[in-house]
Amino acid sequence: MANDEVVLKQYLSKYKHRDYTAREVISLIQVYRSLVYRLEAFVFNNGTRKDLLNLEGTIPVNYKGAFYNIPVSIWLMDTHPQNAPLCFVKPTPEMTIKTSKWVDSNGKIYLPYLHEWSPSGSTLQRLVQWMITAFGELPPVYAKPRNQPRPPYPFDPFMPQPSGYPYPQVSPQPGYPTATPYPTTSNPLPYPSFGTPYPGQVSTNGTPYPAATPYPPTTNFGPVTEVAGGTITEEHIKASLLSAVTDKLRRKLNEQSQQSQAELETLRRTQQELCEGKSRLEDIFTRLQREKASLEKNLSTLQEKEKELESAVERLAEQDGIEADEAVVTTAPLYSQLLNAFAEEATLEDAIYYMGEALRKEVIDLDTFLKQVRTLARRQFTLRALMHKCRQKAQLAC
């Protein structure tokens, strides 16, 4: 285990999460001892290559009460666990890939667990358990007939062609993989079973895999008629084409459905935003109407006041000049006495103020200032007493 950890850290020197990835790999190979790791070059669909860690070996699958060893290959991205691994079924020369909703014709594995891969919650052990469960329902390979190689399918424009998922090459070059969508549903028709079970596989790095248990035979699509030389009958070709077309149509329909749902959700959000905007605009419009009514009312009031001022100005313009002393006329002799006393008291207040300024500027001496201020103050006191008496007589506020 210690040796594995040292070797893994050397292999994972360019990985972003080296220690975490090494711990996950060690934990996985302790449970599934048939899996071995090696650093190999992976060629992506766009032609770029990159050195990635490859976990290759067999996993035990329970199918109808019997265990079978399914050969798989798990490639860990250099950003693991941020990105999901790339998983393939690697059949031996004695096996043939059986396409299903989990595996395509090139052996690439599609699982909901890979599609919903979470950096914080997904692990390699759970991924292998998902593979075991999925392959227990639909085995990804079946055994070829011995000494009878299976000829290729005839070309058909409606049959999906292999996308060429590559296997390890030699020299690495920089580059990153492009995302490959995972199909969600598929229900291909079963392929016929030929020959006998395949033998166990031997690892290329010297660690033998466990002996493979025979693969279960698949249900025949129809009556099988073998032709001399091991050629495929018309029923097999028809079943293959029907399966491929059905799978392609289901993928297309699923993509269109998901796209339509996304567009519908976008339209719903847009409708909600428009409704909210409509409500805000209606509130603003109502407030503006109220303000407009208030402004119109104030405008009419100002126009009336303006007319009154214009008429007053015209009346004043027609009159003769007014003397300042005649500008204010009282209605009774008592009010006239009060007005005269108030005016005189205000003049005395100003006189006392200017007497103080004259003393400050040394225009008059102190004796003169005191003499004049005493006289003015005595007169001011008399006037104030008179105003107080007049206010009491006229019943005004004192």
Side-chain angles (χ1 to χ4, degrees), residues 354-366 368:
Y354 284 109
M355 289 292 292
E357 289 294 315
L359 177 64
R360 184 176 64 81
K361 294 179 181 180
E362 298 181 354
V363 176
I364 60 176
D365 56 7
L366 181 60
T368 304

Side-chain angles (χ1 to χ4, degrees), residues 299-335:
L299 181 62
S300 61
T301 303
L302 289 175
Q303 289 175 350
E304 292 175 359
K305 296 296 182 181
E306 183 181 8
K307 291 179 180 179
E308 292 178 3
L309 289 174
E310 289 177 353
S311 61
V313 170
E314 290 176 356
R315 288 196 304 271
L316 291 175
E318 294 174 355
Q319 295 178 0
D320 296 333
I322 301 176
E323 294 293 336
D325 294 336
E326 299 176 358
V328 178
V329 180
T330 59
T331 58
L334 180 62
Y335 295 150

